[in-house]
């Protein structure tokens, strides 16, 4: 160690002498003593000191006969160059550890390393790929293109980037082409890269450097069918067909085909087309698992059927409350191993998914036509009945249409000389005058009801033989309002003509009879008249035998003629004013 120290000391003194001589030469050449020289810091300090002392005529500070290790001052004291401090002996100089004393100017990410008389900063992290460390301890980009360390091929130009480089193709491709990694121009498949390159109903056909759109003429293969718009082939779900393709097991639809998936514990035998059990659990039936035992390699595991979950013991199964996940659109009832969806009033459970509640169209039910007397309008969960816009109002039961009696309500427009007669859905203003030789019996009220009859009785003038001989004794008017019957299944009796003479009267030995006829107004032969006996008297009954679709207005002129063996005993004319409304019942 002593020999090494002596060797270092000799080298140090040799350096000091050389640097001092450099300072003296600078002085002789009249160069400034503080001129920056391409030497180390310590050598620069020694050179500057010798230059200044030469100018002042002082002795050489590095004269070997001097006792100072570094510098000798004018007052015969020693000093040290920068990076050293004077030892306690006043002659030697000790290195200053700038790293320990915090005197370094190293930046963040650099580590201070002490050196003899100075220090240096070293990066803690390397610069990384594409960079190199400079003498100033900075990371500098490596220009791979200039140094020739890139791997660009002959078809590319090298372009330097920070930390890397880029290969730029020399040749440019035409439209419809793109360059690959080797610089070759390859075709772009626009039918794949573009979104909807063709209109609906067309197919895209790629060509070299371009593409074309052609009208779609789709021929679908087995397992596909044409879509509704005819533009594409759609997979056929064989599992939902009418024919059961996987009897007893699950059917899994695939694109263009299907496959059968056997139940747990079965394997599909492609030869026999059956699922064969290969589960060793068959050797211990019912003893391993509460529900199902599923075979695994070298062991088994228990599983539960749908609606159950495996208990903590790994063997038994607990019921799952499916209603907690709200699977039903309205109401849900949990049952053991499953759940049941049900609907509120006015809804019915869908036959498709068994979960959704669909509105019941009460108006479309087989009995829907009888829910409302006029028209039915379906609403979500219910229905409402509506009536014609005029002449009717909805009854309190919400289903029947009740006729508005304009005559009773006083909302009619009849004059004082007219009588108001209410009909289904409206009213009529009527005015009647008796024929010649007849006079009205009783007064006519301003309001005529269905049971009212306006009667004109024969009243001949004196000596009017023709009037006396006229067999018609009276002319009367009665009124009836009929609806348009929705279902006409049998004749409807609408008018009853009662006689006053008993069937078996004192005229029976002469042969007494009554004849009823419809003389006029029988529209579409929708009416007839029959005779029957009721309470010992003849009764004429007018019937509607065919449906009439209103509105229809007609006057049935009826004849009630009394006949005997002595001749015509008299005739009464009854005019029945029939009003058939357009309202359906």
């Amino acid at each position: 160690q002593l020999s090494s120290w002596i060797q270092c000391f000799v080298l140090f003194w040799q350096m000091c002498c050389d640097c001092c001589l450099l300072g003296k030469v600078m002085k002789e050449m009249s160069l400034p003593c503080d001129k920056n020289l391409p030497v180390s810091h310590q050598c620069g300090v020694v050179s500057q000191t010798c230059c200044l002392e030469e100018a002042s005529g002082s002795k050489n500070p590095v004269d070997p006969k001097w006792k100072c290790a570094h510098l000798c001052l004018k007052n015969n004291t020693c000093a040290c160059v920068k990076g050293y401090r004077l030892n306690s002996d006043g002659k030697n100089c000790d290195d200053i550890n700038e790293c320990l004393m915090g005197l370094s100017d190293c930046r963040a990410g650099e580590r201070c390393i002490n050196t003899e008389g100075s220090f240096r900063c070293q990066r803690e992290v390397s610069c990384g790929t594409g960079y190199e460390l400079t003498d100033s301890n900075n990371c500098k980009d490596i220009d791979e293109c200039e140094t020739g360390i890139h791997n660009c091929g002959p078809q590319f130009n090298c372009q330097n980037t920070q930390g890397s480089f880029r290969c730029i193709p020399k040749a440019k491709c035409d439209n419809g082409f793109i360059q690959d990694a080797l610089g070759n121009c390859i075709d772009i498949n626009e039918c794949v890269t573009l979104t909807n390159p063709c209109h609906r109903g067309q197919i895209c056909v790629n060509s070299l450097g371009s593409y074309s759109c052609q009208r779609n003429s789709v021929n679908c293969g087995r397992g596909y069918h044409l879509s509704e718009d005819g533009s594409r082939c759609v997979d056929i779900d064989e599992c939902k067909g009418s024919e059961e393709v996987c009897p007893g097991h699950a059917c899994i639809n695939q694109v263009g085909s299907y496959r059968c998936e056997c139940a747990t514990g079965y394997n599909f035998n492609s030869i026999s087309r059956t699922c064969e059990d290969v589960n060793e659990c068959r050797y211990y039936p019912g003893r391993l698992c509460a529900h199902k035992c599923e075979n695994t390699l070298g062991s088994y595991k228990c599983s539960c059927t749908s609606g159950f979950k495996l208990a903590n013991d790994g063997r038994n199964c607990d019921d799952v409350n499916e209603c907690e996940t709200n699977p039903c659109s309205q109401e849900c009832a949990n049952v053991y191993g499953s759940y049941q969806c049900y609907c509120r009033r006015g809804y019915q459970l869908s036959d498709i998914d068994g979960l959704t509640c669909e509105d019941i169209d009460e108006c479309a039910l087989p009995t829907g036509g009888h829910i409302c007397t006029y028209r039915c309008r379906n609403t979500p969960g219910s229905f409402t009945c509506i009536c014609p816009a005029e002449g009717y109002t909805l009854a309190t039961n919400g289903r029947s249409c009740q006729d508005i009696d304009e005559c009773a309500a006083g909302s009619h427009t009849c004059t004082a000389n007219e009588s108001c007669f209410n009909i289904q859905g409206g009213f009529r203003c009527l005015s009647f005058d008796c024929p010649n030789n007849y006079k009205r019996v009783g007064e006519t009220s301003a309001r005529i009801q269905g049971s009212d009859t306006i009667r004109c009785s024969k009243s001949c003038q004196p000596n009017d033989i023709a009037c006396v001989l006229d067999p018609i004794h009276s002319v009367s008017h009665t009124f009836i309002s009929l609806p348009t019957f929705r279902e006409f299944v049998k004749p409807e009796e609408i008018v009853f003509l009662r006689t006053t003479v008993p069937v078996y009267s004192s005229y029976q030995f002469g042969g007494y009879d009554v004849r009823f006829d419809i003389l006029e107004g029988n529209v579409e032969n929708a009416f007839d008249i029959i005779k029957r006996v009721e309470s010992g008297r003849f009764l004429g009954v007018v019937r509607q035998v065919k449906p009439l679709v209103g509105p229809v207005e007609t006057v049935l002129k009826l004849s009630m003629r009394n006949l005997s063996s002595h001749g015509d005993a008299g005739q009464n004319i009854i005019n029945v004013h029939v009003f058939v409304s357009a309202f359906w019942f």
Side-chain angles (χ1 to χ4, degrees):
Q1 293 180 352
L2 180 61
S3 61
S4 299
W5 183 88
I6 295 173
Q7 182 180 4
C8 180
F9 182 79
V10 172
L11 291 175
F12 174 78
W13 277 109
Q14 181 66 40
M15 181 189 70
C16 283
C17 291
D18 293 340
C19 294
C20 184
L21 292 175
L22 182 61
K24 290 182 178 183
V25 172
M26 290 173 60
K27 182 60 179 176
E28 292 176 357
M29 297 178 62
S30 300
L31 296 174
C33 295
D34 57 353
K35 182 178 179 61
N36 291 329
L37 298 174
V39 294
S40 65
H41 176 73
Q42 293 86 345
C43 184
V45 172
V46 174
S47 174
Q48 184 178 3
T49 303
C50 291
C51 179
L52 294 175
E53 289 183 351
E54 181 68 20
S56 60
S58 61
K59 295 183 180 180
N60 185 1
V62 293
D63 191 339
K65 297 182 293 181
W66 288 34
K67 299 180 180 180
C68 295
H70 282 187
L71 302 175
C72 183
L73 303 182
K74 294 181 179 180
N75 54 0
N76 294 325
T77 60
C78 297
C80 300
V81 297
K82 185 177 180 180
Y84 293 88
R85 59 185 173 185
L86 194 64
N87 193 286
S88 58
D89 60 7
K91 296 181 181 181
N92 296 310
C93 294
D94 296 331
D95 173 56
I96 297 174
N97 192 335
E98 293 86 355
C99 299
L100 293 178
M101 299 181 66
L103 301 179
S104 69
D105 56 356
C106 295
R107 295 169 295 187
E110 296 180 336
R111 181 166 58 92
C112 177
I113 299 176
N114 185 61
T115 61
E116 188 70 26
S118 183
F119 65 92
R120 63 184 177 89
C121 298
Q122 180 176 322
R123 288 175 58 91
E124 293 184 345
V125 182
S126 64
C127 292
T129 304
Y131 293 89
E132 61 181 353
L133 191 65
T134 63
D135 294 337
S136 59
N137 207 37
N138 293 320
C139 290
K140 176 185 176 183
D141 173 58
I142 298 174
D143 191 340
E144 294 85 353
C145 300
E146 183 178 346
T147 57
I149 59 175
H150 62 83
N151 58 355
C152 296
Q155 303 296 327
F156 296 86
N157 291 323
C158 178
Q159 178 181 344
N160 186 60
T161 60
Q162 285 294 322
S164 184
F165 62 94
R166 183 177 300 166
C167 297
I168 306 299
K170 295 180 180 179
K172 301 296 182 181
C173 295
D174 296 334
N175 292 336
F177 293 88
I178 190 173
Q179 284 181 323
D180 59 10
L182 300 178
N184 300 316
C185 291
I186 59 174
D187 174 55
I188 298 175
N189 190 344
E190 294 85 354
C191 298
V192 176
T193 59
L194 298 180
T195 302
N196 298 326
C198 297
H199 296 293
R200 192 183 185 97
Q202 295 180 328
I203 59 173
C204 178
V205 179
N206 185 58
S207 60
L208 192 62
S210 183
Y211 70 97
S212 61
C213 296
Q214 298 180 2
R215 183 176 179 83
N216 189 11
S217 56
V218 181
N219 293 321
C220 298
R222 183 177 181 181
Y224 296 87
H225 66 86
L226 201 61
S227 63
E228 293 183 359
D229 59 4
S231 63
R232 57 195 174 90
C233 290
V234 180
D235 171 55
I236 297 175
D237 192 346
E238 295 85 353
C239 298
K240 294 183 178 180
S242 58
E243 182 181 355
E244 189 176 8
V245 294
C246 298
H249 296 278
C251 176
I252 306 299
N253 186 56
Q254 295 178 325
V255 179
S257 182
Y258 71 95
R259 66 179 176 88
C260 294
E261 186 176 86
C262 298
T264 302
Y266 291 84
N267 282 335
F268 186 69
N269 188 323
S270 59
I271 299 176
S272 63
R273 304 291 292 177
T274 59
C275 291
E276 298 176 349
D277 180 27
V278 293
N279 194 344
E280 72 271 17
C281 297
R282 65 188 176 187
Y283 297 110
Y284 309 99
R287 286 193 274 173
L288 299 178
C289 303
H291 283 189
K292 295 187 299 182
C293 179
E294 181 183 355
N295 181 54
T296 59
L297 291 177
S299 182
Y300 71 94
K301 65 178 180 179
C302 296
S303 60
C304 301
T305 57
S306 177
F308 294 88
K309 62 181 178 180
L310 200 62
N312 294 331
D313 60 5
R315 297 181 60 184
N316 294 306
C317 295
D318 297 332
D319 175 54
V320 175
N321 187 356
E322 296 87 352
C323 295
E324 294 178 350
T325 60
N326 300 320
C328 305
S329 64
Q330 287 189 1
E331 305 296 335
C332 176
N334 184 58
V335 295
Y336 189 71
S338 184
Y339 65 96
Q340 178 64 47
C341 296
Y342 63 96
C343 303
R344 305 184 187 100
R345 183 177 181 181
Y347 294 86
Q348 64 183 359
L349 203 60
S350 171
D351 294 333
I352 299 176
D353 57 13
L355 305 175
T356 306
C357 288
E358 300 173 344
D359 173 53
I360 298 175
D361 188 351
E362 294 85 354
C363 303
L365 294 176
T367 59
H370 302 287
I371 293 178
C372 303
T373 57
Y374 182 60
R375 289 181 183 171
C376 176
R377 177 182 295 162
N378 186 58
T379 59
S382 184
F383 66 95
T384 56
C385 295
I386 57 176
C387 296
E390 298 179 355
Y392 295 90
T393 183
L394 194 63
T396 55
N397 62 7
R399 298 191 179 190
S400 303
C401 289
Q402 181 176 324
D403 173 57
I404 299 174
D405 191 342
E406 294 85 356
C407 300
S411 59
H412 62 84
T413 58
C414 298
T415 64
N417 297 327
E418 296 174 324
S419 298
C420 179
F421 176 67
N422 183 65
I423 65 173
Q424 291 286 337
F427 64 93
R428 292 292 182 271
C429 296
L430 306 176
S431 177
F432 299 97
D433 294 325
C434 290
N436 292 333
N437 297 322
Y438 291 87
K439 66 178 180 180
R440 183 170 297 181
V441 179
E443 296 293 331
T444 302
S445 63
R447 176 188 173 198
I448 300 176
Q449 300 188 43
S451 59
D452 294 344
T453 300
I454 299 175
R455 189 167 180 270
C456 297
S457 180
K458 186 167 70 172
S459 177
C460 298
Q461 299 295 325
N463 302 321
D464 190 347
I465 303 301
C467 175
V468 173
L469 296 177
D470 188 352
I472 299 176
H473 293 167
S474 67
V475 177
S476 60
H477 298 269
T478 187
F479 314 92
I480 184 170
S481 176
L482 298 176
T484 296
F485 292 101
R486 186 187 300 272
E487 295 179 358
F488 195 91
V489 294
K490 66 178 181 178
E492 294 285 340
E493 298 179 349
I494 59 175
V495 177
F496 300 92
L497 304 179
R498 302 182 186 277
T499 62
T500 59
V501 179
V503 175
Y504 303 106
S505 63
S506 59
Y507 303 114
Q508 64 184 1
F509 298 105
Y512 179 78
D513 196 5
V514 178
R515 180 176 178 179
F516 301 96
D517 293 297
I518 300 177
L519 303 179
E520 297 177 2
N522 193 357
V523 179
E524 299 180 9
N525 292 322
F527 302 93
D528 71 358
I529 186 167
I530 62 174
K531 181 176 67 176
R532 67 173 179 239
V533 176
E534 185 176 291
S535 300
R537 290 179 173 83
F538 288 114
L539 178 69
V541 181
V542 180
R543 304 184 305 172
Q544 182 180 352
V545 295
K546 290 173 57 179
L548 284 176
V549 179
V552 174
E553 295 185 14
T554 186
V555 179
L556 290 176
K557 188 174 182 179
L558 307 179
S559 169
M560 184 172 66
R561 179 176 295 180
N562 297 325
L563 302 175
S564 69
S565 60
H566 302 291
D568 197 338
Q571 182 181 10
N572 295 314
I573 300 298
I574 302 96
N575 294 298
V576 180
H577 296 257
V578 180
F579 301 90
V580 181
S581 71
F583 186 76
W584 291 82
F585 276 103

